[in-house]
Amino acid sequence: AIRIFTQVLKANPNHANAWKALGIAYGGRGEYDKAEAPLQKACHLAPTLEDACYLWGRALYSQNRFEEAIRAFELTLALSTPKWRTELATAQALEALGRHREAEETFRRVLRENRNRDEHPGIAFATFLFRQGHAEEAVVPLEAVLAKHPKSTAAHLELGRVLYQLNRLPGAIAHLETAAALDPHSAQTRLLLGNAYRKAGRPGDAQRQFDWLSSASRTVR
């Protein structure tokens, strides 16, 4: 795909969609440094092209260039609908810069605008609260997400993690078991569930999770 898009751009260097597609192809390989320039070109050629400026900002974010990412997201905010996704990315960049008060205000604005129509803002805000040491406060947005999205693997996992940290083990185990049922191949879920079982005095159940992790590790090697 990269070879084809490069050939297209040699023939038509102002083809914004091809620049965007080239950036996405590099991003799909995790080569965000190579994705940056094509996405920037697409954004500058066609600022209204869907996701062009947003993806440029994400490429910058993935390189820990948070100030530049915020500037790219600001371009997107003037154009994108819905805006919550770009504002969510901005909140995460602000958090990474240590601008926690601005980040929290932005997270809360995204939640108000989105009203849990999508699961990601509530989960991201809860994760932010958890990282700020406010585990108890993180429970509320996660429960609100699950009220709207009861099969959200990420929300069950994150709520399980928060409740585990709060030593509310029955609830933690229930949500982690649900997350494991929804995504049986998640090593992260299995590890946390194993630790929760062990902490709850269920060594046999814990060992089954650790055995699964050991087996999965050997398979990957």
mmCIF file of all heavy atoms in Angstrom, residues 4-48:
data_model
loop_
_atom_site.group_PDB
_atom_site.id
_atom_site.type_symbol
_atom_site.label_atom_id
_atom_site.label_comp_id
_atom_site.label_asym_id
_atom_site.label_seq_id
_atom_site.Cartn_x
_atom_site.Cartn_y
_atom_site.Cartn_z
ATOM 1 N N ILE A 4 2.199 1.890 -3.466
ATOM 2 C CA ILE A 4 1.172 2.386 -4.389
ATOM 3 C C ILE A 4 0.872 3.857 -4.126
ATOM 4 O O ILE A 4 0.811 4.668 -5.057
ATOM 5 C CB ILE A 4 -0.108 1.541 -4.269
ATOM 6 C CG1 ILE A 4 0.143 0.119 -4.789
ATOM 7 C CG2 ILE A 4 -1.268 2.191 -5.023
ATOM 8 C CD1 ILE A 4 -0.968 -0.852 -4.478
ATOM 9 N N PHE A 5 0.689 4.214 -2.854
ATOM 10 C CA PHE A 5 0.381 5.610 -2.536
ATOM 11 C C PHE A 5 1.540 6.525 -2.928
ATOM 12 O O PHE A 5 1.327 7.651 -3.395
ATOM 13 C CB PHE A 5 0.061 5.768 -1.045
ATOM 14 C CG PHE A 5 -1.188 5.051 -0.611
ATOM 15 C CD1 PHE A 5 -1.214 4.332 0.576
ATOM 16 C CD2 PHE A 5 -2.332 5.087 -1.383
ATOM 17 C CE1 PHE A 5 -2.356 3.665 0.985
ATOM 18 C CE2 PHE A 5 -3.489 4.433 -0.980
ATOM 19 C CZ PHE A 5 -3.497 3.711 0.197
ATOM 20 N N THR A 6 2.771 6.050 -2.767
ATOM 21 C CA THR A 6 3.934 6.852 -3.151
ATOM 22 C C THR A 6 3.953 7.091 -4.653
ATOM 23 O O THR A 6 4.257 8.201 -5.120
ATOM 24 C CB THR A 6 5.228 6.143 -2.702
ATOM 25 O OG1 THR A 6 5.196 5.953 -1.278
ATOM 26 C CG2 THR A 6 6.457 6.980 -3.057
ATOM 27 N N GLN A 7 3.593 6.066 -5.414
ATOM 28 C CA GLN A 7 3.531 6.211 -6.874
ATOM 29 C C GLN A 7 2.442 7.205 -7.279
ATOM 30 O O GLN A 7 2.640 8.028 -8.177
ATOM 31 C CB GLN A 7 3.278 4.846 -7.515
ATOM 32 C CG GLN A 7 4.462 3.898 -7.417
ATOM 33 C CD GLN A 7 4.111 2.479 -7.846
ATOM 34 O OE1 GLN A 7 2.941 2.153 -8.064
ATOM 35 N NE2 GLN A 7 5.127 1.638 -7.956
ATOM 36 N N VAL A 8 1.294 7.132 -6.608
ATOM 37 C CA VAL A 8 0.209 8.076 -6.896
ATOM 38 C C VAL A 8 0.674 9.502 -6.653
ATOM 39 O O VAL A 8 0.399 10.424 -7.446
ATOM 40 C CB VAL A 8 -1.031 7.760 -6.037
ATOM 41 C CG1 VAL A 8 -2.063 8.878 -6.137
ATOM 42 C CG2 VAL A 8 -1.652 6.433 -6.446
ATOM 43 N N LEU A 9 1.407 9.719 -5.566
ATOM 44 C CA LEU A 9 1.839 11.064 -5.203
ATOM 45 C C LEU A 9 2.929 11.604 -6.114
ATOM 46 O O LEU A 9 3.059 12.818 -6.288
ATOM 47 C CB LEU A 9 2.297 11.076 -3.740
ATOM 48 C CG LEU A 9 1.141 10.935 -2.739
ATOM 49 C CD1 LEU A 9 1.642 10.566 -1.360
ATOM 50 C CD2 LEU A 9 0.326 12.225 -2.688
ATOM 51 N N LYS A 10 3.711 10.717 -6.705
ATOM 52 C CA LYS A 10 4.681 11.174 -7.698
ATOM 53 C C LYS A 10 3.968 11.764 -8.903
ATOM 54 O O LYS A 10 4.425 12.746 -9.499
ATOM 55 C CB LYS A 10 5.573 10.007 -8.130
ATOM 56 C CG LYS A 10 6.634 9.628 -7.103
ATOM 57 C CD LYS A 10 7.495 8.483 -7.604
ATOM 58 C CE LYS A 10 8.559 8.117 -6.565
ATOM 59 N NZ LYS A 10 9.384 6.953 -7.026
ATOM 60 N N ALA A 11 2.849 11.153 -9.269
ATOM 61 C CA ALA A 11 2.080 11.646 -10.416
ATOM 62 C C ALA A 11 1.226 12.856 -10.051
ATOM 63 O O ALA A 11 0.985 13.732 -10.885
ATOM 64 C CB ALA A 11 1.192 10.534 -10.964
ATOM 65 N N ASN A 12 0.769 12.908 -8.790
ATOM 66 C CA ASN A 12 -0.123 13.994 -8.363
ATOM 67 C C ASN A 12 0.244 14.403 -6.935
ATOM 68 O O ASN A 12 -0.356 13.933 -5.966
ATOM 69 C CB ASN A 12 -1.588 13.560 -8.442
ATOM 70 C CG ASN A 12 -2.542 14.697 -8.126
ATOM 71 O OD1 ASN A 12 -2.120 15.802 -7.776
ATOM 72 N ND2 ASN A 12 -3.840 14.434 -8.240
ATOM 73 N N PRO A 13 1.233 15.280 -6.781
ATOM 74 C CA PRO A 13 1.724 15.627 -5.432
ATOM 75 C C PRO A 13 0.746 16.429 -4.596
ATOM 76 O O PRO A 13 1.002 16.650 -3.403
ATOM 77 C CB PRO A 13 2.988 16.444 -5.732
ATOM 78 C CG PRO A 13 2.811 16.948 -7.115
ATOM 79 C CD PRO A 13 2.012 15.922 -7.840
ATOM 80 N N ASN A 14 -0.371 16.857 -5.166
ATOM 81 C CA ASN A 14 -1.366 17.607 -4.392
ATOM 82 C C ASN A 14 -2.616 16.778 -4.085
ATOM 83 O O ASN A 14 -3.674 17.333 -3.797
ATOM 84 C CB ASN A 14 -1.773 18.866 -5.156
ATOM 85 C CG ASN A 14 -0.648 19.879 -5.215
ATOM 86 O OD1 ASN A 14 0.067 20.069 -4.235
ATOM 87 N ND2 ASN A 14 -0.470 20.515 -6.362
ATOM 88 N N HIS A 15 -2.465 15.467 -4.128
ATOM 89 C CA HIS A 15 -3.587 14.553 -3.875
ATOM 90 C C HIS A 15 -3.702 14.347 -2.360
ATOM 91 O O HIS A 15 -3.042 13.495 -1.774
ATOM 92 C CB HIS A 15 -3.340 13.225 -4.579
ATOM 93 C CG HIS A 15 -4.563 12.367 -4.719
ATOM 94 N ND1 HIS A 15 -5.392 12.076 -3.668
ATOM 95 C CD2 HIS A 15 -5.095 11.733 -5.804
ATOM 96 C CE1 HIS A 15 -6.363 11.291 -4.084
ATOM 97 N NE2 HIS A 15 -6.214 11.080 -5.377
ATOM 98 N N ALA A 16 -4.557 15.153 -1.717
ATOM 99 C CA ALA A 16 -4.654 15.128 -0.248
ATOM 100 C C ALA A 16 -5.061 13.761 0.282
ATOM 101 O O ALA A 16 -4.529 13.292 1.304
ATOM 102 C CB ALA A 16 -5.646 16.184 0.229
ATOM 103 N N ASN A 17 -5.998 13.103 -0.390
ATOM 104 C CA ASN A 17 -6.432 11.783 0.075
ATOM 105 C C ASN A 17 -5.301 10.774 0.041
ATOM 106 O O ASN A 17 -5.200 9.906 0.923
ATOM 107 C CB ASN A 17 -7.605 11.290 -0.780
ATOM 108 C CG ASN A 17 -8.949 11.612 -0.150
ATOM 109 O OD1 ASN A 17 -9.174 11.332 1.024
ATOM 110 N ND2 ASN A 17 -9.842 12.214 -0.913
ATOM 111 N N ALA A 18 -4.440 10.870 -0.976
ATOM 112 C CA ALA A 18 -3.309 9.935 -1.066
ATOM 113 C C ALA A 18 -2.302 10.211 0.048
ATOM 114 O O ALA A 18 -1.738 9.276 0.630
ATOM 115 C CB ALA A 18 -2.648 10.039 -2.435
ATOM 116 N N TRP A 19 -2.063 11.492 0.351
ATOM 117 C CA TRP A 19 -1.176 11.813 1.480
ATOM 118 C C TRP A 19 -1.743 11.261 2.785
ATOM 119 O O TRP A 19 -1.015 10.677 3.600
ATOM 120 C CB TRP A 19 -1.006 13.327 1.598
ATOM 121 C CG TRP A 19 -0.060 13.927 0.606
ATOM 122 C CD1 TRP A 19 -0.371 14.787 -0.416
ATOM 123 C CD2 TRP A 19 1.352 13.717 0.524
ATOM 124 N NE1 TRP A 19 0.749 15.116 -1.126
ATOM 125 C CE2 TRP A 19 1.827 14.488 -0.564
ATOM 126 C CE3 TRP A 19 2.262 12.965 1.261
ATOM 127 C CZ2 TRP A 19 3.171 14.517 -0.935
ATOM 128 C CZ3 TRP A 19 3.609 12.992 0.903
ATOM 129 C CH2 TRP A 19 4.058 13.758 -0.175
ATOM 130 N N LYS A 20 -3.034 11.448 2.980
ATOM 131 C CA LYS A 20 -3.673 10.918 4.191
ATOM 132 C C LYS A 20 -3.553 9.399 4.249
ATOM 133 O O LYS A 20 -3.199 8.829 5.285
ATOM 134 C CB LYS A 20 -5.141 11.342 4.218
ATOM 135 C CG LYS A 20 -5.955 10.731 5.350
ATOM 136 C CD LYS A 20 -7.425 11.136 5.229
ATOM 137 C CE LYS A 20 -8.329 10.189 5.970
ATOM 138 N NZ LYS A 20 -9.754 10.518 5.798
ATOM 139 N N ALA A 21 -3.834 8.728 3.116
ATOM 140 C CA ALA A 21 -3.764 7.266 3.091
ATOM 141 C C ALA A 21 -2.344 6.781 3.357
ATOM 142 O O ALA A 21 -2.138 5.768 4.054
ATOM 143 C CB ALA A 21 -4.254 6.748 1.735
ATOM 144 N N LEU A 22 -1.348 7.498 2.836
ATOM 145 C CA LEU A 22 0.048 7.123 3.091
ATOM 146 C C LEU A 22 0.370 7.247 4.572
ATOM 147 O O LEU A 22 1.008 6.365 5.172
ATOM 148 C CB LEU A 22 0.977 8.009 2.262
ATOM 149 C CG LEU A 22 2.479 7.767 2.424
ATOM 150 C CD1 LEU A 22 2.843 6.330 2.043
ATOM 151 C CD2 LEU A 22 3.278 8.764 1.592
ATOM 152 N N GLY A 23 -0.084 8.329 5.192
ATOM 153 C CA GLY A 23 0.144 8.498 6.627
ATOM 154 C C GLY A 23 -0.527 7.418 7.454
ATOM 155 O O GLY A 23 0.054 6.896 8.417
ATOM 156 N N ILE A 24 -1.743 7.057 7.070
ATOM 157 C CA ILE A 24 -2.458 5.988 7.779
ATOM 158 C C ILE A 24 -1.714 4.668 7.637
ATOM 159 O O ILE A 24 -1.615 3.885 8.599
ATOM 160 C CB ILE A 24 -3.897 5.873 7.246
ATOM 161 C CG1 ILE A 24 -4.718 7.097 7.668
ATOM 162 C CG2 ILE A 24 -4.570 4.597 7.748
ATOM 163 C CD1 ILE A 24 -6.089 7.171 7.028
ATOM 164 N N ALA A 25 -1.173 4.425 6.454
ATOM 165 C CA ALA A 25 -0.434 3.171 6.238
ATOM 166 C C ALA A 25 0.801 3.105 7.131
ATOM 167 O O ALA A 25 1.080 2.068 7.750
ATOM 168 C CB ALA A 25 -0.036 3.052 4.766
ATOM 169 N N TYR A 26 1.532 4.205 7.219
ATOM 170 C CA TYR A 26 2.690 4.221 8.123
ATOM 171 C C TYR A 26 2.239 4.078 9.581
ATOM 172 O O TYR A 26 2.858 3.350 10.373
ATOM 173 C CB TYR A 26 3.473 5.522 7.958
ATOM 174 C CG TYR A 26 4.428 5.528 6.787
ATOM 175 C CD1 TYR A 26 4.362 6.519 5.809
ATOM 176 C CD2 TYR A 26 5.416 4.559 6.658
ATOM 177 C CE1 TYR A 26 5.246 6.534 4.731
ATOM 178 C CE2 TYR A 26 6.299 4.558 5.588
ATOM 179 C CZ TYR A 26 6.219 5.551 4.627
ATOM 180 O OH TYR A 26 7.085 5.569 3.566
ATOM 181 N N GLY A 27 1.157 4.776 9.944
ATOM 182 C CA GLY A 27 0.649 4.674 11.306
ATOM 183 C C GLY A 27 0.226 3.260 11.653
ATOM 184 O O GLY A 27 0.415 2.802 12.784
ATOM 185 N N GLY A 28 -0.341 2.553 10.673
ATOM 186 C CA GLY A 28 -0.744 1.166 10.898
ATOM 187 C C GLY A 28 0.419 0.257 11.216
ATOM 188 O O GLY A 28 0.241 -0.798 11.837
ATOM 189 N N ARG A 29 1.613 0.673 10.801
ATOM 190 C CA ARG A 29 2.828 -0.091 11.111
ATOM 191 C C ARG A 29 3.516 0.427 12.372
ATOM 192 O O ARG A 29 4.581 -0.055 12.744
ATOM 193 C CB ARG A 29 3.803 -0.012 9.938
ATOM 194 C CG ARG A 29 3.324 -0.740 8.708
ATOM 195 C CD ARG A 29 4.138 -0.437 7.462
ATOM 196 N NE ARG A 29 5.563 -0.625 7.647
ATOM 197 C CZ ARG A 29 6.450 -0.645 6.647
ATOM 198 N NH1 ARG A 29 6.038 -0.482 5.404
ATOM 199 N NH2 ARG A 29 7.731 -0.806 6.886
ATOM 200 N N GLY A 30 2.888 1.414 13.009
ATOM 201 C CA GLY A 30 3.488 1.991 14.215
ATOM 202 C C GLY A 30 4.627 2.938 13.921
ATOM 203 O O GLY A 30 5.349 3.353 14.833
ATOM 204 N N GLU A 31 4.812 3.338 12.663
ATOM 205 C CA GLU A 31 5.899 4.234 12.266
ATOM 206 C C GLU A 31 5.362 5.669 12.237
ATOM 207 O O GLU A 31 5.200 6.285 11.189
ATOM 208 C CB GLU A 31 6.457 3.808 10.908
ATOM 209 C CG GLU A 31 7.072 2.421 10.930
ATOM 210 C CD GLU A 31 7.571 1.964 9.567
ATOM 211 O OE1 GLU A 31 7.428 2.698 8.578
ATOM 212 O OE2 GLU A 31 8.127 0.853 9.500
ATOM 213 N N TYR A 32 5.109 6.196 13.428
ATOM 214 C CA TYR A 32 4.450 7.496 13.529
ATOM 215 C C TYR A 32 5.353 8.632 13.073
ATOM 216 O O TYR A 32 4.853 9.673 12.616
ATOM 217 C CB TYR A 32 3.977 7.721 14.964
ATOM 218 C CG TYR A 32 2.990 6.674 15.418
ATOM 219 C CD1 TYR A 32 3.338 5.712 16.364
ATOM 220 C CD2 TYR A 32 1.718 6.619 14.860
ATOM 221 C CE1 TYR A 32 2.443 4.733 16.749
ATOM 222 C CE2 TYR A 32 0.809 5.647 15.243
ATOM 223 C CZ TYR A 32 1.185 4.705 16.193
ATOM 224 O OH TYR A 32 0.284 3.740 16.563
ATOM 225 N N ASP A 33 6.667 8.443 13.176
ATOM 226 C CA ASP A 33 7.567 9.470 12.681
ATOM 227 C C ASP A 33 7.457 9.614 11.168
ATOM 228 O O ASP A 33 7.537 10.725 10.622
ATOM 229 C CB ASP A 33 9.007 9.149 13.075
ATOM 230 C CG ASP A 33 9.467 7.769 12.607
ATOM 231 O OD1 ASP A 33 8.612 6.863 12.455
ATOM 232 O OD2 ASP A 33 10.680 7.587 12.398
ATOM 233 N N LYS A 34 7.223 8.502 10.472
ATOM 234 C CA LYS A 34 7.042 8.541 9.024
ATOM 235 C C LYS A 34 5.617 8.953 8.644
ATOM 236 O O LYS A 34 5.391 9.489 7.559
ATOM 237 C CB LYS A 34 7.378 7.180 8.414
ATOM 238 C CG LYS A 34 8.840 6.798 8.544
ATOM 239 C CD LYS A 34 9.111 5.440 7.901
ATOM 240 C CE LYS A 34 10.583 5.067 8.025
ATOM 241 N NZ LYS A 34 10.862 3.725 7.441
ATOM 242 N N ALA A 35 4.676 8.694 9.519
ATOM 243 C CA ALA A 35 3.278 9.068 9.250
ATOM 244 C C ALA A 35 3.073 10.570 9.367
ATOM 245 O O ALA A 35 2.191 11.141 8.705
ATOM 246 C CB ALA A 35 2.349 8.342 10.222
ATOM 247 N N GLU A 36 3.879 11.219 10.180
ATOM 248 C CA GLU A 36 3.661 12.625 10.505
ATOM 249 C C GLU A 36 3.631 13.522 9.264
ATOM 250 O O GLU A 36 2.683 14.287 9.057
ATOM 251 C CB GLU A 36 4.752 13.093 11.456
ATOM 252 C CG GLU A 36 4.684 14.575 11.776
ATOM 253 C CD GLU A 36 5.975 15.075 12.404
ATOM 254 O OE1 GLU A 36 6.741 14.262 12.952
ATOM 255 O OE2 GLU A 36 6.192 16.302 12.329
ATOM 256 N N ALA A 37 4.672 13.456 8.432
ATOM 257 C CA ALA A 37 4.782 14.374 7.292
ATOM 258 C C ALA A 37 3.641 14.202 6.283
ATOM 259 O O ALA A 37 3.047 15.206 5.843
ATOM 260 C CB ALA A 37 6.142 14.214 6.617
ATOM 261 N N PRO A 38 3.281 12.965 5.876
ATOM 262 C CA PRO A 38 2.154 12.822 4.954
ATOM 263 C C PRO A 38 0.841 13.352 5.525
ATOM 264 O O PRO A 38 0.055 13.982 4.810
ATOM 265 C CB PRO A 38 2.080 11.306 4.719
ATOM 266 C CG PRO A 38 3.426 10.786 5.041
ATOM 267 C CD PRO A 38 3.948 11.677 6.113
ATOM 268 N N LEU A 39 0.607 13.116 6.815
ATOM 269 C CA LEU A 39 -0.637 13.588 7.421
ATOM 270 C C LEU A 39 -0.644 15.108 7.546
ATOM 271 O O LEU A 39 -1.684 15.748 7.354
ATOM 272 C CB LEU A 39 -0.845 12.918 8.781
ATOM 273 C CG LEU A 39 -1.122 11.415 8.704
ATOM 274 C CD1 LEU A 39 -1.042 10.784 10.094
ATOM 275 C CD2 LEU A 39 -2.485 11.133 8.075
ATOM 276 N N GLN A 40 0.509 15.681 7.866
ATOM 277 C CA GLN A 40 0.608 17.138 7.900
ATOM 278 C C GLN A 40 0.325 17.723 6.520
ATOM 279 O O GLN A 40 -0.389 18.725 6.385
ATOM 280 C CB GLN A 40 2.002 17.558 8.368
ATOM 281 C CG GLN A 40 2.184 19.061 8.444
ATOM 282 C CD GLN A 40 3.591 19.443 8.873
ATOM 283 O OE1 GLN A 40 4.507 18.621 8.883
ATOM 284 N NE2 GLN A 40 3.780 20.693 9.249
ATOM 285 N N LYS A 41 0.876 17.091 5.487
ATOM 286 C CA LYS A 41 0.652 17.551 4.114
ATOM 287 C C LYS A 41 -0.838 17.485 3.763
ATOM 288 O O LYS A 41 -1.396 18.426 3.188
ATOM 289 C CB LYS A 41 1.457 16.680 3.156
ATOM 290 C CG LYS A 41 1.389 17.114 1.695
ATOM 291 C CD LYS A 41 2.209 18.343 1.439
ATOM 292 C CE LYS A 41 2.316 18.633 -0.046
ATOM 293 N NZ LYS A 41 3.104 19.857 -0.315
ATOM 294 N N ALA A 42 -1.471 16.368 4.126
ATOM 295 C CA ALA A 42 -2.907 16.220 3.849
ATOM 296 C C ALA A 42 -3.713 17.297 4.557
ATOM 297 O O ALA A 42 -4.635 17.890 3.986
ATOM 298 C CB ALA A 42 -3.380 14.839 4.270
ATOM 299 N N CYS A 43 -3.361 17.579 5.804
ATOM 300 C CA CYS A 43 -4.065 18.592 6.596
ATOM 301 C C CYS A 43 -3.921 19.967 5.962
ATOM 302 O O CYS A 43 -4.891 20.729 5.866
ATOM 303 C CB CYS A 43 -3.527 18.587 8.020
ATOM 304 S SG CYS A 43 -4.227 19.876 9.091
ATOM 305 N N HIS A 44 -2.723 20.282 5.509
ATOM 306 C CA HIS A 44 -2.490 21.602 4.937
ATOM 307 C C HIS A 44 -3.120 21.749 3.556
ATOM 308 O O HIS A 44 -3.609 22.825 3.199
ATOM 309 C CB HIS A 44 -0.987 21.878 4.873
ATOM 310 C CG HIS A 44 -0.401 22.165 6.207
ATOM 311 N ND1 HIS A 44 0.955 22.216 6.452
ATOM 312 C CD2 HIS A 44 -0.990 22.404 7.419
ATOM 313 C CE1 HIS A 44 1.179 22.487 7.727
ATOM 314 N NE2 HIS A 44 0.012 22.598 8.337
ATOM 315 N N LEU A 45 -3.115 20.657 2.785
ATOM 316 C CA LEU A 45 -3.723 20.709 1.459
ATOM 317 C C LEU A 45 -5.244 20.800 1.531
ATOM 318 O O LEU A 45 -5.872 21.496 0.729
ATOM 319 C CB LEU A 45 -3.329 19.460 0.647
ATOM 320 C CG LEU A 45 -1.929 19.431 0.054
ATOM 321 C CD1 LEU A 45 -1.640 18.047 -0.519
ATOM 322 C CD2 LEU A 45 -1.776 20.491 -1.046
ATOM 323 N N ALA A 46 -5.818 20.062 2.483
ATOM 324 C CA ALA A 46 -7.288 19.995 2.566
ATOM 325 C C ALA A 46 -7.707 19.935 4.027
ATOM 326 O O ALA A 46 -8.005 18.856 4.559
ATOM 327 C CB ALA A 46 -7.800 18.778 1.805
ATOM 328 N N PRO A 47 -7.717 21.073 4.714
ATOM 329 C CA PRO A 47 -8.057 21.077 6.150
ATOM 330 C C PRO A 47 -9.415 20.468 6.475
ATOM 331 O O PRO A 47 -9.625 19.987 7.592
ATOM 332 C CB PRO A 47 -8.023 22.565 6.510
ATOM 333 C CG PRO A 47 -7.176 23.192 5.469
ATOM 334 C CD PRO A 47 -7.414 22.410 4.216
ATOM 335 N N THR A 48 -10.326 20.488 5.514
ATOM 336 C CA THR A 48 -11.655 19.938 5.766
ATOM 337 C C THR A 48 -11.745 18.445 5.452
ATOM 338 O O THR A 48 -12.798 17.844 5.681
ATOM 339 C CB THR A 48 -12.712 20.676 4.926
ATOM 340 O OG1 THR A 48 -12.385 20.547 3.538
ATOM 341 C CG2 THR A 48 -12.781 22.143 5.300
#
